[in-house]
Amino acid sequence: MSSWLLYALLSALSAAFVSIFGKMGLEGLDSSAATAVRGVIMAIFLVAVMVVQGHASHLPEVFADRRALTCVALSGIAGATSWLFYFMALKTGDVSCVAPIDKLSVVFAVLLAILIFEEEVSLTHGIGIFLIALGSLIIAVL
């Protein structure tokens, strides 16, 4: 198994637990406050992982490259807004409905990659992306 595939599967499994633990933790709480606490915990955890792995020496490289830093910052803002909306949706919706709709991000990411990076998508991949969109829409409507 390719390392990217293993990491992608582990990412998906971790994301599934985000939904479950998030839904459990939101009972009686403000979703924005809970998301902010989650973000602080994530930051502490990620800094600890970076330090333990010995990658702290790479921080100056990130801050020195203005374009990369801008893109990383925009990615962080996009991720934060994604999680704010996700937790707001989980607060009032069922995980079984919210999580699949959230996965429309896959469809949006592929469309943006085609537009921005001029990536090419094979017919097979296109059909798969279409089925993801269709499945999400079926869940939203039914």
Side-chain angles (χ1 to χ4, degrees):
M1 179 183 299
S2 298
S3 61
W4 71 264
L5 181 56
L6 175 62
Y7 293 143
L9 289 170
L10 290 172
S11 172
L13 181 61
S14 297
F17 280 108
V18 169
S19 301
I20 300 303
F21 293 139
K23 180 71 173 178
M24 291 168 56
L26 284 171
E27 288 184 38
L29 298 178
D30 175 71
S31 62
S32 295
T35 305
V37 169
R38 177 186 175 275
V40 170
I41 292 167
M42 283 177 55
I44 292 168
F45 178 80
L46 292 171
V47 168
V49 168
M50 178 190 62
V51 169
V52 167
Q53 289 181 336
H55 296 296
S57 63
H58 295 285
L59 278 176
E61 297 169 22
V62 176
F63 288 104
D65 186 335
R66 294 244 190 255
R67 182 181 183 283
L69 181 60
T70 299
C71 290
V72 168
L74 290 172
S75 175
I77 292 167
T81 58
S82 170
W83 285 111
L84 280 168
F85 292 131
Y86 190 72
F87 270 42
M88 289 169 75
L90 280 179
K91 176 82 175 167
T92 57
D94 294 335
V95 172
S96 60
C97 292
V98 173
I101 297 303
D102 177 65
K103 297 311 168 233
L104 279 173
S105 62
V106 172
V107 176
F108 297 145
V110 170
L111 292 174
L112 289 169
I114 292 168
L115 292 172
I116 295 169
F117 303 122
E118 299 179 0
E119 290 187 12
E120 293 185 17
V121 176
S122 70
L123 178 61
T124 305
H125 284 116
I127 292 169
I129 296 302
F130 173 77
L131 290 173
I132 292 170
L134 183 63
S136 294
L137 293 174
I138 288 170
I139 290 168
V141 173
L142 298 179

